Amino acid sequence: MYQQHLTPPQLASFEVSSQPASRLGPPILLQYWHIVTRWKWLIAGIIAAAVVAGLVITLLITPEYTASTRIQISRDQKNIAKVDGLESPESGRDLEFYQTQYSLLKARSLAERVARRLRLSANDAFFAAHGIKPSRLVSSPSGAANKRKELDEREKMAVGLLLNHVNVDPVRGSALVDVSYTSQNPELTAQIANAWAREYIAASIDRRFGSTADARRFLEGRLSDLRTKLEASERALVSYASNKNIVALSQGRDGDGKTGSARTLALVDLEALNTALSQAVADRVIAESRASTAGSVDLGALQASPAVSALRQRRAELQSEYAKLLTQFEPGYPAARALAEQIKVLSSNIAREEGRAASTSQGSRQSEYRAALKREQDLRQRVAALRAQFDTQQRDTIQYNIYQRDADTNRELYDALLQRYKEIGVSGVSANNLAIVDVAEAPNAPSSPNLPLNLAIALLAGIGLAGLAALGLEQIDEGLRDPSQVNRLLQAPLLGSVPADADEKGVAALADTKSAIFEAYLSIRSNLAFSTDHGVPRSFMVTSTRASEGKSTTSYALATVLARTGKRVLLIDADIRSPSGHEMMGATNTRGLTNFLAGDDALDSLIAPGAANMPALLSAGPPPPNAAELLSSDRLEMLVNRLVQEYDHVVIDSPPVLGLADAPLVARAVEGCIYVVEAEGVAVRGIKSALDRLRSVHANIFGVVLTKLHAKHAGYGYGYGYGDTYGGK
């Protein structure tokens, strides 16, 4: 009951909204595959043309040779001189170190060094190796200035060629770099590659020494100024010391390099006299002590006397012999008595000598004391005089120390700058962190053109161009390719889809109720039953945008399907300009619709009855001189009203819409129309224009039938999906 209240606009809205989101269009990859299959010959032609063009271009390109030199770039430098440079030793470990080196390898300054080293500006073979003939080089009139200008221009051109043909390829995960050069001359290529590596190393050394040039010049100026100041301060120090009689015998330096306290002549003399005075005081005290002791024997003097010592020695010997005799004899023994007498004589002699020595030492002590006292007094006077002189000199030493500190400061600054100047001079003396690992050799085989690579690039380019061309043509081609586009682009319901071979197999296939074509039109008939509140329309027309879209086949098929359901169906061939209905039905076209429209009321004689379960046919009839004039009369509407009283359904095969006025005239006489659209046929804008023309005459459009649909699109349409069953069962 719900279906009987649906109007055609409501039906269209219902069909659009009821479609699942997955059926709004095929997957994107499948769409691309359909594009490829549709334009396969164009794509194949573009790819083939690109490959052929790549082959021809490769064969026409002049062979070029590439020579490569491998360089090792180390971060650390082994410092031979043990002297730090201006830069931090960690500066080479920065992350940008290697990127800096790679940029330096492609620097213009390096190319200029190579060009000057090899004299490339005057080498015509170098320019010829890059495809530049000598006649194309810059030429100037004669003259020194013009010649110089010409050489400058040639050098700039050579530098540009070097930069354009050199390539720096770091070896991944290592400190190695491959520097390669490409030209048409293999020997020159190897020569330039090796020269590039050597000049790079030389430039690195020059930069290392050049980085300290400014510092050396600055230090030279400062050293000159400090030398003058040092000379002046030392001259002032010496002059002041001479004027003040300051004689410095020795000087010392502390840990900071400052001059320590100087030992002057006055200080040394004072120290010596003070030491002598101390000794004189000690001698005077000893002499005074000896002189104050009366009658005492000077044991030291006695011990020092040779006579007393000899007597004591002799007495000791005799006493020893006497003691030996007493062990054997009595004291009265003659020999013993003789020895005793001798010992007694010696003892008296010793006593006499000691007495004489005691009387002599008493006088000498007094004289020694007086001499020691006088010596002490003289030394005290001399020390006092030197102390006064030293005190005066100490006051003068204050200014002397000022001059000394000024000279020390200037000397320290001068020594420090001189040391730094010497260090900078040898800071660049280090083991080079750049080394050539492999030298370039003249290549035996050209590096380009590379035929396999060029063909691969040409193939990829061809595929890209073919893809762009196919996508562009696909966008330009506005025909309907997918059943899901009907509702989205035409805002009209889709009644169904018909296989691509329906026109060829239409009549024969419809005889088989199990064929895919019959099933397709049966599905269309089922959908058509929902277009009105009374089921399948009693009268409807079938039209299209242009001819050959399957309009006549659809009219015949729908009439046949309706007739097989037991309905009385009449097929009217209203395409009087190009009739085809009589051929499908196997009838003649001697009399027909044009006769009735011209005034013949014998309608029964004009209709050819159909066989069992087949529709009747009202053929087009003889072609009139003006078809639009016949169709514009009221007899067509009168004919339809009369026929719907006798038949259950009247199906009219109408002419195309565009270019003719027939279809809008026929639309006035029927309930509505079925619009046939050929898949991948008329552009959407043409179909919309035709539909708008029908709507302008208030024609009721039941829906669209998409004909000639290929199997690759059928599975994504509305209604019945054909899959691989187009061939039938």
Side-chain angles (χ1 to χ4, degrees), residues 87-114:
E87 297 183 358
S88 170
E90 299 295 327
S91 62
R93 299 184 181 272
D94 296 337
L95 295 178
E96 66 273 11
F97 172 74
Y98 280 110
Q99 291 298 329
T100 302
Q101 299 303 315
Y102 302 153
S103 299
L104 290 175
L105 277 169
K106 297 199 70 173
R108 173 172 288 274
S109 59
L110 182 57
E112 292 174 351
R113 291 176 66 103
V114 174

Coordinates of all heavy atoms in Angstrom, one line a residue, residues 87-114:
E87 N 91.5 28.1 17.6 CA 90.2 27.4 17.7 C 90.3 26.4 18.8 O 91.3 25.8 19.1 CB 89.8 26.8 16.4 CG 89.6 27.8 15.3 CD 89.1 27.2 14.0 OE1 88.9 25.9 14.0 OE2 88.8 27.9 13.1
S88 N 89.1 26.1 19.4 CA 89.0 25.1 20.4 C 89.3 23.7 19.8 O 88.8 23.4 18.7 CB 87.6 25.1 21.1 OG 87.5 24.0 21.9
P89 N 89.9 22.8 20.5 CA 90.2 21.4 20.0 C 88.9 20.7 19.7 O 88.8 19.7 19.0 CB 91.1 20.8 21.0 CG 90.9 21.6 22.3 CD 90.6 22.9 21.8
E90 N 87.8 21.1 20.4 CA 86.5 20.4 20.2 C 85.7 21.0 19.0 O 84.6 20.5 18.7 CB 85.7 20.6 21.5 CG 86.3 20.0 22.7 CD 86.4 18.5 22.6 OE1 85.5 17.8 21.9 OE2 87.4 17.9 23.1
S91 N 86.2 22.0 18.4 CA 85.4 22.6 17.3 C 85.3 21.7 16.1 O 84.3 21.8 15.4 CB 86.1 23.9 16.8 OG 87.4 23.6 16.3
G92 N 86.2 20.8 15.9 CA 86.1 19.8 14.8 C 85.1 18.7 15.1 O 84.7 18.0 14.2
R93 N 84.5 18.7 16.3 CA 83.6 17.6 16.6 C 82.1 18.1 16.5 O 81.2 17.4 16.8 CB 83.8 17.1 18.0 CG 85.2 16.5 18.2 CD 85.4 15.9 19.6 NE 86.7 15.3 19.8 CZ 87.0 14.1 19.5 NH1 86.1 13.3 19.0 NH2 88.3 13.6 19.7
D94 N 81.9 19.3 16.1 CA 80.6 19.8 15.9 C 79.8 19.0 14.9 O 80.4 18.4 13.9 CB 80.6 21.3 15.5 CG 81.2 22.1 16.6 OD1 81.2 21.7 17.8 OD2 81.7 23.2 16.3
L95 N 78.5 19.0 15.0 CA 77.7 18.2 14.1 C 77.8 18.7 12.6 O 77.7 17.9 11.7 CB 76.2 18.2 14.5 CG 76.0 17.6 15.9 CD1 74.5 17.7 16.3 CD2 76.3 16.1 15.9
E96 N 78.0 20.0 12.5 CA 78.1 20.5 11.1 C 79.5 20.4 10.5 O 79.7 21.0 9.4 CB 77.7 22.0 11.2 CG 78.6 23.0 11.9 CD 78.3 23.0 13.4 OE1 77.5 22.2 13.9 OE2 78.9 23.9 14.1
F97 N 80.4 19.7 11.1 CA 81.7 19.7 10.6 C 81.8 19.1 9.2 O 82.3 19.7 8.3 CB 82.6 18.8 11.6 CG 84.0 18.5 11.0 CD1 85.0 19.5 11.0 CD2 84.3 17.3 10.5 CE1 86.2 19.3 10.4 CE2 85.6 17.0 10.0 CZ 86.5 18.0 10.0
Y98 N 81.2 17.9 9.1 CA 81.2 17.2 7.7 C 80.4 18.0 6.7 O 80.8 18.0 5.5 CB 80.8 15.8 7.9 CG 81.8 14.9 8.4 CD1 81.7 14.4 9.7 CD2 83.0 14.6 7.7 CE1 82.7 13.6 10.2 CE2 84.0 13.8 8.2 CZ 83.8 13.3 9.5 OH 84.8 12.5 10.0
Q99 N 79.3 18.6 7.1 CA 78.5 19.3 6.1 C 79.3 20.5 5.6 O 79.2 20.9 4.5 CB 77.2 19.8 6.7 CG 76.2 18.7 7.0 CD 75.8 18.0 5.7 OE1 75.7 18.6 4.7 NE2 75.5 16.7 5.9
T100 N 80.1 21.1 6.5 CA 81.0 22.2 6.2 C 82.0 21.8 5.2 O 82.3 22.4 4.2 CB 81.6 22.8 7.4 OG1 80.6 23.3 8.3 CG2 82.5 24.0 7.0
Q101 N 82.6 20.6 5.4 CA 83.6 20.1 4.5 C 83.0 19.8 3.1 O 83.6 20.0 2.1 CB 84.2 18.8 5.1 CG 84.9 19.1 6.4 CD 86.0 20.1 6.3 OE1 86.8 20.1 5.4 NE2 86.0 21.0 7.3
Y102 N 81.8 19.2 3.1 CA 81.1 18.9 1.8 C 80.9 20.2 1.0 O 81.0 20.2 -0.2 CB 79.8 18.2 2.0 CG 80.0 16.9 2.8 CD1 78.9 16.4 3.6 CD2 81.2 16.2 2.8 CE1 79.1 15.2 4.3 CE2 81.3 15.0 3.5 CZ 80.3 14.5 4.2 OH 80.4 13.3 4.9
S103 N 80.5 21.2 1.7 CA 80.2 22.5 1.1 C 81.6 23.1 0.6 O 81.6 23.7 -0.5 CB 79.5 23.5 2.0 OG 78.3 23.0 2.4
L104 N 82.6 23.0 1.3 CA 83.9 23.5 0.9 C 84.4 22.7 -0.3 O 85.1 23.3 -1.2 CB 84.9 23.3 2.0 CG 84.8 24.3 3.2 CD1 85.8 23.9 4.3 CD2 84.9 25.7 2.8
L105 N 84.0 21.5 -0.4 CA 84.4 20.7 -1.6 C 83.8 21.2 -2.9 O 84.2 20.9 -4.0 CB 84.1 19.2 -1.4 CG 85.2 18.4 -0.6 CD1 84.6 17.0 -0.3 CD2 86.5 18.3 -1.4
K106 N 82.7 21.9 -2.8 CA 82.0 22.4 -3.9 C 82.0 24.0 -4.0 O 81.2 24.6 -4.6 CB 80.5 22.0 -4.0 CG 80.4 20.4 -4.1 CD 79.0 20.1 -4.6 CE 78.8 20.5 -6.0 NZ 77.5 19.9 -6.6
A107 N 83.0 24.5 -3.2 CA 83.1 26.0 -3.2 C 83.7 26.5 -4.5 O 84.5 25.9 -5.2 CB 84.0 26.4 -2.0
R108 N 83.2 27.8 -4.8 CA 83.7 28.4 -6.0 C 85.2 28.7 -5.9 O 86.0 28.6 -6.9 CB 82.9 29.7 -6.3 CG 83.5 30.6 -7.4 CD 82.5 31.7 -7.7 NE 81.4 31.2 -8.4 CZ 81.3 31.0 -9.7 NH1 82.3 31.2 -10.5 NH2 80.2 30.6 -10.2
S109 N 85.7 29.1 -4.7 CA 87.1 29.3 -4.5 C 87.9 28.1 -4.8 O 89.0 28.3 -5.4 CB 87.3 29.8 -3.1 OG 86.9 28.8 -2.1
L110 N 87.5 26.9 -4.5 CA 88.2 25.7 -4.8 C 88.3 25.5 -6.3 O 89.3 25.1 -6.9 CB 87.6 24.5 -4.1 CG 88.3 23.2 -4.4 CD1 89.7 23.2 -3.9 CD2 87.6 22.1 -3.6
A111 N 87.1 25.8 -7.0 CA 87.1 25.6 -8.5 C 88.1 26.6 -9.1 O 88.7 26.3 -10.1 CB 85.7 25.8 -9.0
E112 N 88.2 27.8 -8.6 CA 89.1 28.8 -9.1 C 90.6 28.4 -8.9 O 91.4 28.6 -9.8 CB 88.9 30.2 -8.4 CG 87.5 30.8 -8.8 CD 87.3 32.0 -8.0 OE1 88.0 32.3 -7.0 OE2 86.3 32.8 -8.3
R113 N 90.9 27.8 -7.8 CA 92.2 27.2 -7.6 C 92.6 26.2 -8.6 O 93.7 26.1 -9.1 CB 92.4 26.7 -6.1 CG 92.3 27.7 -5.0 CD 92.3 27.0 -3.7 NE 93.6 26.3 -3.5 CZ 94.6 26.8 -2.7 NH1 94.4 27.9 -2.0 NH2 95.7 26.1 -2.5
V114 N 91.6 25.2 -8.8 CA 91.8 24.2 -9.8 C 92.0 24.8 -11.2 O 92.9 24.3 -12.0 CB 90.7 23.2 -9.8 CG1 90.8 22.1 -10.9 CG2 90.6 22.5 -8.4

